[in-house]
Amino acid sequence: MFYHSQKDIATKIVKEKKADYVLSLKDNHETLKREVEEYFKDVEQTGFNDDKILQYSTKEKGHGRIEERLYYYSTDINWMDAKKDWIKLTGIGMVIRKIEINGQKTEERAYHLGSVKTAEDYARGVRMHWGIESTHWSLDVTFMEDANRTRKGCAPQNLALLKRMALNMVKKDQERNPKKSLKRRRFIASLNDDYLEYIFSINFR
């Protein structure tokens, strides 16, 4: 099923799933995104010392990579004209993602709307969102999913499920071809029965 906007998605999550949401603010909500950016820019000038800003951070190290995430979440949103347009909206968030790989440092920022109430729940929602986007990117690169035109009946859902299963299966290869891309591993499995048997063996032991 396709939804026309993030507002539709938020409504479905709250009403049908009885759950909370954290949704990314992108250029399709240009004005709202700019307002949120300006809000956190003002707060940052005070060193994030505003009592209304909830904070949470994580830091991960491994294989020459250090990734730090700084989460800032505010429920001070009565000033937002858009508040009335989003179901159960409770706050806005910004995450700063700092990555260092072999001495090379990069930094990126992302902004969100949410119905959660704590910085920890905001962080959890962002991580889930990133996981979904990462999986979609992998599926598009490996299976060219965005180019697929399967639309009839349950075929799109069934095909998507099979692709995700295949993707997760080749991801587990840490011995035969760990340095090859997922796309390359899938291709090898389609041609090499021995490698295909190996993929099945590590997934169905």
Side-chain angles (χ1 to χ4, degrees):
M1 182 177 292
F2 297 93
Y3 299 96
H4 296 295
S5 70
Q6 287 181 304
K7 293 176 185 177
D8 296 331
I9 295 173
T11 299
K12 181 177 178 63
I13 291 172
V14 172
K15 289 188 174 181
E16 296 186 21
K17 303 299 182 181
K18 309 299 181 184
D20 287 314
Y21 62 85
V22 171
L23 297 175
S24 177
L25 274 175
K26 297 185 178 180
D27 292 337
N28 57 332
H29 292 290
E30 184 178 355
T31 301
L32 182 54
K33 180 183 177 183
R34 185 169 59 251
E35 290 178 347
V36 174
E37 285 179 341
E38 291 296 329
Y39 175 90
F40 282 106
K41 186 180 295 184
D42 290 342
V43 173
E44 188 171 9
Q45 291 178 353
T46 69
F48 295 107
N49 292 323
D50 192 320
D51 292 338
K52 297 175 182 178
I53 305 299
L54 307 175
Q55 302 182 35
Y56 182 72
S57 65
T58 62
K59 194 169 188 177
E60 300 175 358
K61 300 180 180 179
H63 305 292
R65 174 190 177 99
I66 302 174
E67 182 169 342
E68 183 179 16
R69 297 188 183 97
L70 307 173
Y71 299 91
Y72 302 96
Y73 192 71
S74 173
T75 56
D76 175 31
I77 59 171
N78 288 330
W79 55 271
M80 290 178 60
D81 291 335
K83 180 182 177 182
K84 63 182 183 300
D85 299 326
W86 295 81
I87 187 172
K88 200 184 172 184
L89 180 64
T90 57
I92 55 177
M94 176 180 73
V95 55
I96 302 175
R97 191 181 187 188
K98 299 180 179 181
I99 300 174
E100 180 177 345
I101 302 177
N102 299 323
Q104 297 294 319
K105 298 180 180 180
T106 60
E107 180 178 309
E108 61 184 58
R109 299 178 181 220
Y111 302 88
H112 303 84
L113 298 175
S115 64
V116 297
K117 296 180 180 179
T118 69
E120 290 84 350
D121 286 340
Y122 168 56
R124 189 177 300 111
V126 171
R127 291 297 295 268
M128 289 177 63
H129 181 76
W130 275 338
I132 292 169
E133 285 198 338
S134 176
T135 298
H136 179 78
W137 181 86
S138 295
L139 284 167
D140 187 36
V141 170
T142 308
F143 296 103
M144 295 190 299
E145 183 163 271
D146 286 347
N148 188 277
R149 293 294 177 264
T150 305
R151 294 289 184 268
K152 293 184 179 180
C154 296
Q157 292 90 335
N158 293 337
L159 190 57
L161 177 61
L162 291 172
K163 287 179 178 179
R164 280 167 173 74
M165 289 175 60
L167 181 68
N168 289 330
M169 288 172 71
V170 296
K171 271 185 179 180
K172 291 187 178 181
D173 176 10
Q174 300 299 320
E175 297 178 9
R176 297 280 187 93
N177 297 293
K179 294 184 178 181
K180 285 184 167 56
S181 67
L182 296 177
K183 184 176 182 179
R184 183 64 178 169
R185 293 184 213 177
R186 181 199 64 80
F187 182 69
I188 294 173
S190 70
L191 298 178
N192 188 314
D193 288 343
D194 180 61
Y195 182 63
L196 181 61
E197 288 181 9
Y198 163 72
I199 292 297
F200 277 111
S201 71
I202 62 177
N203 281 275
F204 302 105
R205 288 173 178 168

